[in-house]
Amino acid sequence: MIIQMERILIIEDEEKIARFVELELIYEGYQVEKAYNGRDGLELCKAQPFDLILLDIMLPGLNGIEVLRRIRQFSDVPIILLTARDAVVDKVTGLDGGADDYITKPFAIEELLARIRVALRKKAGRNTYLDPKELTVGELKLDPMKREVHVKGKLVNLTKREFDLLEYLLKNKNIVLSRDTILQNVWGYDFSGGSNAVDVYIRYLRSKIEEPFGEKFIYTVHGVGYVIKDEE
Ligand code: CA
């Protein structure tokens, strides 16, 4: 069984605080990355998926509000701001800028942990809210809420990975996806099994959703990857 640990990024220039929070979060079972300035934090956030970001406002160079603004251009990851006492303007600007919550320094670690749990729960709810609709291609229907797939009205049993892969392809219907992109989004950043895992699972999928039904949904784009599209 693979245990999916939630990944948290701490962007905080006070290294002592960053390390203290990191240790507490690791103890709680989270996976943690740190950045000591806004620019590094932003780069990390672009390069890897995180479930939550703790973002200090007072950072050298690129400040927290600016980092927040730039992250929101490509991600709706939950962000909790770490603010200095009495920095009311920062809090308002931060929340207006799309932060989910803030906590004032110095904070009790229990309070921070509680706020993290709330933000992560909200995130889980947010995903469900954003994607309740059925995904279809031809006579294939995928219901993300029930996690069911029907082809020509017949229920098809898929493993979790097969389902996730199919869902990802369907969400990106008509977009050619490289093996690496698929790996990162379906298997996750930490996966080290090599990109032929994608080919293997595409074969599994085809044997379940295409071959028994004489249908074709997944197309191989040689030298690139895969795409799901309506039959031409
Ligand atoms: Ca600071």
Side-chain angles (χ1 to χ4, degrees):
M1 195 181 88
I2 298 164
I3 298 166
Q4 192 72 50
M5 283 196 290
E6 282 159 317
R7 294 167 51 80
I8 297 180
L9 171 63
I10 305 169
I11 309 177
E12 163 67 85
D13 61 313
E14 282 159 273
E15 299 191 14
K16 262 191 187 163
I17 295 181
R19 285 211 198 93
F20 168 69
V21 172
E22 177 187 32
L23 289 177
E24 292 289 339
L25 293 180
I26 290 172
Y27 182 76
E28 292 294 316
Y30 297 109
Q31 222 181 321
V32 181
E33 295 276 341
K34 296 192 299 295
Y36 295 132
N37 65 63
R39 221 165 276 283
D40 289 351
L42 186 63
E43 288 312 310
L44 263 176
C45 183
K46 278 181 185 163
Q48 307 179 16
F50 288 97
D51 296 295
L52 185 134
I53 295 175
L54 297 177
L55 175 60
D56 184 30
I57 290 187
M58 295 289 285
L59 290 168
L62 211 55
N63 72 47
I65 297 294
E66 183 58 21
V67 174
L68 170 68
R69 196 184 65 78
R70 296 199 192 178
I71 290 174
R72 278 291 173 261
Q73 290 173 352
F74 62 90
S75 169
D76 68 347
V77 60
I79 297 178
I80 298 177
L81 296 174
L82 311 177
T83 73
R85 203 201 314 258
D86 302 330
V88 179
V89 176
D90 287 348
K91 287 170 199 163
V92 172
T93 315
L95 293 173
D96 282 350
D100 294 80
D101 202 353
Y102 64 86
I103 188 165
T104 308
K105 294 197 270 189
F107 47 79
I109 194 72
E110 290 75 20
E111 189 191 347
L112 178 63
L113 292 172
R115 286 178 186 275
I116 288 173
R117 284 192 295 271
V118 169
L120 288 171
R121 265 205 305 277
K122 260 202 310 206
K123 180 199 175 211
R126 184 148 73 198
N127 289 346
T128 325
Y129 178 73
L130 279 175
D131 293 310
K133 65 175 187 297
E134 203 174 63
L135 301 165
T136 65
V137 58
E139 290 199 71
L140 183 150
K141 291 184 177 30
L142 179 148
D143 185 328
M145 303 292 284
K146 292 186 191 159
R147 291 187 70 84
E148 281 181 0
V149 174
H150 286 85
V151 181
K152 294 184 168 170
K154 196 166 171 285
L155 181 66
V156 180
N157 280 312
L158 298 181
T159 64
K160 182 187 181 299
R161 185 76 77 194
E162 290 162 358
F163 184 93
D164 291 346
L165 173 59
L166 180 61
E167 185 179 27
Y168 182 69
L169 290 168
L170 281 168
K171 277 184 181 163
N172 294 283
K173 197 162 98 168
N174 299 319
I175 301 171
V176 178
L177 301 164
S178 73
R179 288 173 179 80
D180 284 343
T181 303
I182 294 171
L183 263 189
Q184 274 191 22
N185 285 280
V186 178
W187 274 260
Y189 177 80
D190 292 331
F191 182 71
S192 56
S195 63
N196 68 341
V198 175
D199 303 311
V200 170
Y201 274 83
I202 292 282
R203 274 206 296 282
Y204 292 160
L205 268 184
R206 282 177 168 152
S207 75
K208 291 184 174 182
I209 62 171
E210 294 185 342
E211 286 153 23
F213 301 97
E215 290 284 327
K216 186 149 185 65
F217 307 114
I218 305 170
Y219 292 82
T220 306
V221 182
H222 288 288
V224 187
Y226 296 99
V227 60
I228 265 190
K229 53 183 182 179
D230 294 302
E231 210 166 0
E232 282 149 4

